[in-house]
C-alpha cells in the first residue's frame, strides 16, 4: 500500500498537464486561415477579414500611359493577375500618386513589380516633321516602298498627313520611342537631301541644254552681245565694285538666284527665279510644243474671238516652240492696210512678238497650272547718266532715257537669256502703272544684281559697274516714296522703311511672284494707252523699232 502512494500524484500531475495543454491549444488556435487568406473562427467557423496592405508609388505623368495601356488593358491585366486594387490621384503637376492595395504584402509587392516593369519600358510618343511638298514622292517611293522601308529600319510608325500643310510643305507624322523617332528622322532627312540633290543636278543638266532665247534682227542698231563678248568685258570690271563672296547654298536676307530673261532697259527688265519652277517651265514648253505641233489639236483650239488680256498659246518665231502668251495690244499691220496683228507678251519670259491673229490658239487648261514666271523688275539705286526729264514723275517710264550703249552693256553684265545664274537682292519698290484698263497693279521690286567675278570667289555689283563706266549715275530719287500707305501695309513695309533695309524686304520676297502676274505687260501698247488704234505716229513706230533691238530680237 505504501508503494502506490507516489504514483497517484504523478498520474494526477500528468492529467492536469494534458488538460492545461488542451486548454491552451484551444485558446490560442481558435482562429485559422482559409485558402483565400481570410481568418476562420475555430469554434464557430465564421470568417473574419484581414487588414489590407497598402503601398504608394510616385509615377511621372508621361509614364502613366504605359501603366494604363491602350483602353486600360495593361492596368486591368495587372489587377487581374495579382488581385490588387490600383488607383491614381493627383500628386504634383508632373507626377501622379499610384496607390496599390492588396490582402497581403506578397500581392502588393507583385503588383508593384509589374508596374515598375511597365514604367521601365521606352515611352511611345508622336512627333511631326515638316518636309517640302516636292520631296514627298521621294519619301513615299513607288507604291509606298520607300516609306515602308523607313518604317522597317526605324521600327517606328511613319505616315504622311493626308492634307498638305501648305502649297510647299507637308507634315510627316512619326510614332515610336525616342530612339525609333531619331532613326526615322535621319532616314527622312536623307530622302529629302537626295531629292534636293537630284532636282539640282537635273536642273543644272536642263539649263545646260537650254538654248539661249535670243534672236538679233538684221536691222538692229544695238545687237545683243554673245556670252563670249560679255565674258571678255567682265575681266576689266573695277575691283571697287567687288562686294563679297557668293554662296551657292545660303544667301543673305532678301537675296536669291535668278535668270535675267528679257531686258528693255535697266529700268525695266524681266527675271525668272531659279529653282524647281525652272524645270517645271521647261517641261511645260516641251509638252506645249508636242501638243500644238499636231494639226488636230490646233484645229480643236481655234479661236473665234480674241480679247485684250486673253492668255493664248503661240509659237515663238526664234525657236519654233510653243509658249503661253498674253494679248497685250491690237496693232495695225504695217504691210497690209486694214489688217491687224497681235502684240503678244510671253508671260514666262517677258519678251514680245507681233503675230497674226490666225496663228494663236486657245490655251489648253492643263497648261495654266504653273505660275507665270516672268517678273518685272528695275535696277535699284541707279538712273540714266543723262535724263531728258529729271522730275520724279518720269521715274516709271525712264526706260526710254537710257543710252543704247548702257542697255547693251547691261545685257552683257546680266547674261540676258543665256540662263546664267546671278544673285539678286530686293532693296526697294516702285509703283506699277499697268497699261491694261481695270487691272490691279502691284509694286515692282527694285533689285541689286551681283555676278560672279572672274576669280570665281567674289561678287560684282552690276549697278555700281554701270556707274563706274559712266553709263549710269546714282539715283537721287527714292522710288519707295511712290507707294501708298495701303501698298506698304499689304507688303509688310512701313513709310520709314529705308531703301536698303533688309528686315522689311525679307517679309515681302514671297510676294515677288504675285507681283509678276499684275506687272507682266507689254512695253509697246497702242490701244490701252488711250490712243486711237489708227493713230500710229512716226514716234510710236520708232519706239517699236527700238524695242525690237532691246528685247533681244523678239519682234
Amino acid at each position: 500500500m505504501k508503494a502506490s502512494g507516489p504514483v497517484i500524484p504523478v498520474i494526477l500531475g500528468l492529467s492536469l498537464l494534458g488538460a492545461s495543454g488542451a486548454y491552451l491549444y484551444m485558446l490560442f488556435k481558435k482562429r485559422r486561415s482559409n485558402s483565400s487568406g481570410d481568418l476562420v473562427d475555430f469554434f464557430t467557423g465564421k470568417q473574419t477579414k484581414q487588414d489590407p496592405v497598402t503601398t504608394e508609388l510616385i509615377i511621372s505623368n508621361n509614364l502613366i500611359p504605359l501603366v494604363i495601356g491602350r483602353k486600360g488593358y495593361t492596368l486591368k491585366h495587372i489587377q487581374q493577375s495579382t488581385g490588387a486594387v490600383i488607383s491614381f490621384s493627383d500628386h504634383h503637376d508632373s507626377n501622379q500618386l499610384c496607390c496599390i492595395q492588396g490582402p497581403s504584402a506578397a500581392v502588393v509587392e507583385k503588383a508593384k513589380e509589374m508596374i515598375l516593369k511597365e514604367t521601365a519600358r521606352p515611352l511611345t510618343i508622336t512627333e511631326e516633321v515638316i518636309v517640302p511638298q516636292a520631296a514627298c514622292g521621294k519619301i513615299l517611293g513607288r507604291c509606298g516602298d520607300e516609306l515602308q522601308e523607313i518604317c522597317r529600319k526605324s521600327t517606328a510608325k511613319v505616315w504622311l498627313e493626308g492634307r498638305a500643310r501648305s502649297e510647299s510643305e507637308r507634315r510627316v507624322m512619326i510614332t515610336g520611342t525616342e530612339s525609333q523617332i531619331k532613326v526615322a528622322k535621319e532616314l527622312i532627312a536623307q530622302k529629302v537631301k537626295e531629292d534636293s540633290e537630284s532636282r539640282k543636278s537635273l536642273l543644272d543638266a536642263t539649263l545646260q541644254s537650254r538654248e539661249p532665247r535670243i534672236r538679233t534682227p538684221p536691222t538692229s542698231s544695238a545687237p545683243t552681245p554673245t556670252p563670249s563678248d560679255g565674258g571678255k568685258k567682265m575681266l576689266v570690271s573695277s575691283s571697287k565694285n567687288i562686294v563679297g563672296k557668293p554662296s551657292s547654298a545660303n544667301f543673305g536676307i532678301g537675296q536669291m538666284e535668278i535668270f535675267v530673261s528679257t531686258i528693255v532697259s535697266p529700268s525695266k527688265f524681266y527675271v525668272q527665279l531659279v529653282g524647281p519652277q525652272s524645270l517645271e517651265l521647261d517641261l511645260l514648253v516641251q509638252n506645249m510644243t508636242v501638243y500644238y505641233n499636231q494639226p488636230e489639236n490646233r484645229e480643236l483650239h481655234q479661236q473665234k474671238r480674241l480679247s485684250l488680256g486673253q492668255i493664248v498659246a503661240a509659237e515663238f518665231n526664234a525657236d519654233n516652240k510653243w509658249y503661253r502668251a498674253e494679248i497685250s495690244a491690237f496693232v495695225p499691220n504695217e504691210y497690209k492696210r486694214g489688217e491687224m496683228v497681235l502684240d503678244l507678251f510671253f508671260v514666262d519670259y517677258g519678251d514680245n512678238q507681233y503675230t497674226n491673229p490666225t496663228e494663236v490658239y486657245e490655251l489648253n487648261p492643263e497648261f495654266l497650272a504653273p505660275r507665270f514666271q516672268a517678273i518685272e523688275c528695275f535696277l535699284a539705286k541707279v538712273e540714266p547718266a543723262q535724263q531728258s526729264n529729271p522730275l520724279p514723275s518720269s521715274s516709271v517710264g525712264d526706260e526710254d532715257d537710257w543710252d543704247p550703249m548702257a542697255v547693251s552693256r547691261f545685257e552683257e553684265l546680266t547674261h540676258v537669256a543665256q540662263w546664267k545664274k546671278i544673285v539678286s537682292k530686293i532693296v526697294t519698290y516702285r509703283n506699277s502703272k499697268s497699261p491694261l484698263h481695270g487691272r490691279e497693279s502691284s509694286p515692282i521690286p527694285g533689285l541689286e544684281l551681283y555676278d560672279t567675278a572672274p576669280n570665281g570667289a567674289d561678287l560684282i555689283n552690276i549697278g555700281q559697274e554701270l556707274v563706274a563706266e559712266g553709263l549710269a549715275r546714282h539715283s537721287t530719287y527714292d522710288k519707295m516714296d511712290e507707294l501708298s500707305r495701303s501698298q506698304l501695309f499689304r507688303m509688310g513695309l512701313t513709310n520709314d522703311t529705308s531703301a536698303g533695309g533688309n528686315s522689311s524686304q525679307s517679309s515681302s520676297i514671297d510676294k515677288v511672284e504675285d507681283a509678276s502676274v499684275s506687272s507682266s505687260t507689254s512695253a509697246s501698247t497702242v490701244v490701252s494707252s488711250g490712243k486711237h488704234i489708227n493713230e500710229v505716229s512716226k514716234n510710236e513706230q520708232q519706239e517699236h523699232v527700238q524695242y525690237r533691238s532691246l528685247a533681244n530680237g523678239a519682234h
Side-chain angles (χ1 to χ4, degrees):
M1 296 297 288
K2 292 182 180 179
S4 61
V7 176
I8 295 173
V10 172
I11 295 174
L12 184 61
L14 292 174
S15 300
L16 292 173
L17 182 63
S20 299
Y23 176 78
L24 291 175
Y25 176 79
M26 289 186 293
L27 179 65
F28 292 104
K29 287 292 184 178
K30 62 186 274 185
R31 295 192 302 172
R32 62 185 176 85
S33 299
N34 63 6
S35 59
S36 63
D38 296 334
L39 298 179
V40 181
D41 189 275
F42 183 81
F43 297 103
T44 63
K46 294 181 178 180
Q47 296 181 4
T48 58
K49 293 291 184 179
Q50 187 178 4
D51 294 335
V53 179
T54 304
T55 187
E56 295 179 344
L57 292 175
I58 297 178
I59 303 177
S60 177
N61 286 340
N62 57 357
L63 298 178
I64 294 297
L66 296 178
V67 179
I68 296 177
R70 187 177 183 182
K71 297 182 179 180
Y73 173 78
T74 304
L75 183 61
K76 291 178 182 178
H77 174 69
I78 296 174
Q79 293 183 130
Q80 293 174 358
S81 300
T82 61
V85 178
I86 303 171
S87 60
F88 295 92
S89 60
D90 294 335
H91 178 263
H92 193 266
D93 292 341
S94 59
N95 298 318
Q96 292 277 334
L97 183 64
C98 177
C99 180
I100 309 172
Q101 190 178 60
S104 65
V107 171
V108 172
E109 188 63 26
K110 184 179 179 181
K112 179 180 178 181
E113 290 177 358
M114 295 183 71
I115 291 175
L116 294 177
K117 183 178 179 180
E118 293 296 330
T119 58
R121 291 192 300 111
L123 183 65
T124 301
I125 56 178
T126 299
E127 292 187 10
E128 65 177 29
V129 178
I130 306 301
V131 299
Q133 178 70 27
C136 290
K138 190 72 173 179
I139 296 173
L140 279 172
R142 185 177 181 181
C143 300
D145 292 343
E146 296 296 335
L147 187 61
Q148 293 178 7
E149 185 70 9
I150 293 175
C151 295
R152 186 187 66 80
K153 290 182 177 180
S154 65
T155 65
K157 182 180 179 182
V158 184
W159 73 96
L160 283 171
E161 195 176 48
R163 187 175 182 180
R165 187 170 182 264
S166 65
E167 293 183 1
S168 59
E169 294 180 339
R170 197 165 180 181
R171 184 182 285 109
V172 180
M173 310 302 296
I174 310 173
T175 298
T177 64
E178 289 187 4
S179 58
Q180 292 171 342
I181 291 177
K182 181 180 179 182
V183 174
K185 284 183 176 180
E186 292 175 353
L187 294 173
I188 292 173
Q190 182 179 355
K191 293 297 180 184
V192 173
K193 182 179 179 181
E194 290 176 0
D195 179 76
S196 177
E197 290 176 351
S198 63
R199 287 179 180 275
K200 186 177 184 302
S201 60
L202 182 61
L203 175 62
D204 292 340
T206 303
L207 295 179
Q208 288 177 1
S209 62
R210 251 196 195 186
E211 298 177 357
R213 191 179 166 86
I214 295 178
R215 182 189 65 176
T216 303
T219 58
S220 174
S221 61
T224 303
T226 60
S228 58
D229 293 337
K232 294 177 182 178
K233 292 192 177 183
M234 283 295 293
L235 296 175
V236 298
S237 298
S238 173
S239 59
K240 296 181 181 180
N241 302 322
I242 298 178
V243 296
K245 297 182 178 181
S247 173
S248 59
N250 298 313
F251 298 102
I253 296 176
Q255 293 185 351
M256 50 196 161
E257 286 185 318
I258 61 168
F259 299 124
V260 177
S261 58
T262 300
I263 289 178
V264 179
S265 73
S267 296
K268 183 175 183 178
F269 57 92
Y270 293 87
V271 304
Q272 296 176 354
L273 299 180
V274 176
Q277 61 269 27
S278 302
L279 181 61
E280 187 179 17
L281 176 60
D282 291 339
L283 185 62
L284 172 69
V285 172
Q286 179 181 350
N287 292 338
M288 287 186 62
T289 302
V290 172
Y291 184 83
Y292 285 100
N293 276 341
Q294 300 178 15
E296 60 272 18
N297 290 334
R298 293 199 301 272
E299 183 68 24
L300 179 64
H301 295 284
Q302 285 282 356
Q303 290 279 37
K304 296 181 180 179
R305 184 176 181 180
L306 299 174
S307 59
L308 198 65
Q310 183 178 356
I311 304 299
V312 296
E315 187 178 26
F316 188 55
N317 296 336
D319 55 15
N320 297 324
K321 294 181 181 179
W322 289 80
Y323 300 89
R324 301 183 296 184
E326 176 187 13
I327 300 177
S328 58
F330 296 89
V331 185
N333 193 329
E334 298 178 1
Y335 304 101
K336 295 183 179 180
R337 290 182 175 273
E339 294 188 4
M340 305 293 294
V341 294
L342 304 178
D343 184 4
L344 297 181
F345 172 79
F346 291 95
V347 294
D348 294 307
Y349 293 87
D351 43 14
N352 290 64
Q353 174 178 284
Y354 290 138
T355 303
N356 193 299
T358 59
E359 296 176 354
V360 298
Y361 299 90
E362 178 187 18
L363 187 66
N364 191 324
E366 68 179 68
F367 299 134
L368 272 173
R371 288 187 175 185
F372 300 158
Q373 296 194 23
I375 304 172
E376 182 180 350
C377 304
F378 68 95
L379 190 61
K381 300 183 179 180
V382 296
E383 60 187 16
Q386 294 182 351
Q387 278 188 310
S388 59
N389 187 356
L391 296 178
S393 59
S394 64
S395 59
V396 174
D398 57 1
E399 57 264 17
D400 296 334
D401 294 331
W402 286 91
D403 186 89
M405 290 289 294
V407 176
S408 178
R409 179 60 173 151
F410 183 60
E411 291 177 347
E412 296 176 17
L413 294 173
T414 56
H415 311 280
V416 59
Q418 296 294 322
W419 317 124
K420 181 182 184 300
K421 293 183 284 189
I422 62 175
V423 179
S424 68
K425 179 180 179 182
I426 302 176
V427 296
T428 185
Y429 292 87
R430 79 175 185 202
N431 257 332
S432 170
K433 293 186 177 180
S434 173
L436 292 183
H437 177 70
R439 167 178 287 181
E440 183 181 359
S441 62
S442 298
I444 297 176
L447 306 181
E448 286 183 348
L449 301 179
Y450 303 92
D451 189 22
T452 306
N455 59 14
D458 298 312
L459 293 175
I460 296 177
N461 188 318
I462 294 178
Q464 297 296 332
E465 187 70 20
L466 292 176
V467 174
E469 296 179 8
L471 300 174
R473 66 182 182 184
H474 293 290
S475 177
T476 57
Y477 173 65
D478 186 6
K479 295 180 173 61
M480 185 79 80
D481 295 337
E482 300 174 1
L483 303 183
S484 65
R485 191 174 185 83
S486 61
Q487 288 175 317
L488 294 171
F489 178 78
R490 287 197 305 270
M491 302 182 66
L493 305 174
T494 56
N495 282 335
D496 55 355
T497 302
S498 60
N502 290 335
S503 59
S504 59
Q505 276 84 28
S506 61
S507 64
S508 52
I509 294 174
D510 295 336
K511 301 181 178 64
V512 175
E513 283 186 304
D514 296 334
S516 68
V517 177
S518 59
S519 61
S520 300
T521 54
S522 170
S524 53
T525 304
V526 177
V527 175
S528 55
S529 60
K531 300 173 183 177
H532 194 272
I533 197 168
N534 293 323
E535 296 177 359
V536 183
S537 63
K538 294 182 180 180
N539 292 334
E540 291 170 340
Q541 294 176 359
Q542 180 63 29
E543 284 184 5
H544 293 311
V545 173
Q546 185 182 15
Y547 181 70
R548 292 191 201 107
S549 63
L550 298 183
N552 309 321
H555 286 312

